[in-house]
Amino acid sequence: MPYLTSSRPGTATTDVRTGLGVPGVAHPLLAADEWNRLHRAGTPLHWVVLDVADGPGVQPDPHCLEAAGRLRNAGVRVLGHVDAAYGLRSFGEIISDAHRFLDWYQVDGFLLDRCHADRAALPEVRRTVATLRVIREGAHVVLGHGTHPHPGYAEHADQLVTYSGPWSDYRWSQVAEWTADHPPERFCHFVHGVPRPHLEEALRVARWQGAATIYFTDHSDRVSGHAGPADPWGPLPGYWDDIVSRVGTGVSE
């Protein structure tokens, strides 16, 4: 299998602490049970993304504030979802979103989603990340490229999302060689459409490719009528308890 062709020193034998990064759950009024399940003791969460309305929204939402507060009180890091729109949004718009997330929800950091991955955009992304760290000391910053970016991005963010997409592509994917210069804790994989019988295989792919923060779901982004693509991240996966158990006890080889 292609994901086994990469040689990452020690990836398959070291004690990598795999955990879950939740890229976004539906609004608490629509998914109260999902939010309740997230802060159960023992759930191996690295962080949960708060996406109020494609960002922080236009005014404080008390339901989101309560949901985020319960997670933070349980020791779970909460990140604000900030859309970079592959450079279509200005620096000012991005930082304004970040300020609202801080002022309204006291987030611990940010997922800069749909982030550019090429070398040309690196200076602007570096400027953005530096500013995020100024307005929120100790901010945990995740760059949501969804693919392997230019290696220079690894110097500026805490984590990079180097895969976001369907299981049909993920199971045959290959890791960029430069990632072997960094520990698995620097990389995240988001995979949708993973059937329950392939969950263990998906966990092995992530381990071999050196991604310690993962999120797998059986939901997909298949187009529904004229409504456009579905959001695979809104509901928790149908096998949530299963993946929590597998990740919490370590990935078998």
Side-chain angles (χ1 to χ4, degrees):
M1 287 176 280
Y3 61 81
L4 299 180
T5 63
S6 175
S7 57
R8 294 186 62 90
T11 304
T13 57
T14 56
D15 182 21
V16 175
R17 180 66 67 180
T18 303
L20 300 168
V22 181
V25 184
H27 192 279
L29 286 179
L30 302 176
D33 181 62
E34 273 91 342
W35 284 96
N36 288 334
R37 296 168 76 185
L38 285 176
H39 63 76
R40 288 179 182 171
T43 304
L45 290 172
H46 286 170
W47 38 259
V48 173
V49 173
L50 176 65
D51 188 1
V52 180
D54 293 325
V58 296
Q59 61 186 12
D61 185 315
H63 304 287
C64 290
L65 176 60
E66 179 184 4
R70 292 175 67 188
L71 280 176
R72 297 187 72 240
N73 289 339
V76 178
R77 182 184 281 138
V78 176
L79 308 181
H81 179 275
V82 178
D83 186 10
Y86 300 117
L88 295 180
R89 301 190 72 214
S90 69
F91 172 81
E93 289 174 313
I94 290 172
I95 300 305
S96 177
D97 275 4
H99 273 295
R100 289 200 293 272
F101 267 120
L102 288 170
D103 293 343
W104 297 345
Y105 306 108
Q106 293 82 54
V107 295
D108 304 292
F110 308 94
L111 169 66
L112 191 61
D113 200 15
R114 298 203 294 170
C115 182
H116 263 308
D118 62 337
R119 183 173 184 174
L122 184 55
E124 182 64 14
V125 175
R126 179 172 60 235
R127 175 194 179 203
T128 300
V129 172
T131 305
L132 293 176
R133 297 195 192 283
V134 168
I135 66 174
R136 205 299 184 185
E137 184 178 359
H140 186 85
V141 179
V142 181
L143 299 183
H145 307 286
T147 187
H148 287 97
H150 182 276
Y153 285 92
E155 300 177 14
H156 306 290
D158 295 286
Q159 292 183 294
L160 309 177
V161 179
T162 53
Y163 185 89
S164 180
W167 165 244
S168 56
D169 292 337
Y170 185 64
R171 67 185 308 190
W172 307 115
S173 64
Q174 298 189 50
V175 66
E177 291 186 4
W178 64 263
T179 62
D181 296 331
H182 303 276
E185 289 78 11
R186 303 294 307 283
F187 303 106
C188 316
H189 289 174
F190 301 155
V191 190
H192 59 74
V194 182
R196 183 188 292 268
H198 292 278
L199 182 55
E200 188 68 22
E201 182 186 354
L203 289 166
R204 287 198 180 101
V205 176
R207 189 170 179 85
W208 278 100
Q209 293 198 5
T213 299
I214 61 168
Y215 189 80
F216 301 148
T217 181
D218 48 351
H219 302 290
S220 74
D221 65 347
R222 287 178 297 183
V223 175
S224 175
H226 299 288
D231 176 15
W233 318 122
L236 291 180
Y239 43 64
W240 174 254
D241 290 340
D242 189 7
I243 194 171
V244 165
S245 176
R246 291 170 187 258
V247 173
T249 57
V251 181
S252 62
E253 293 299 333

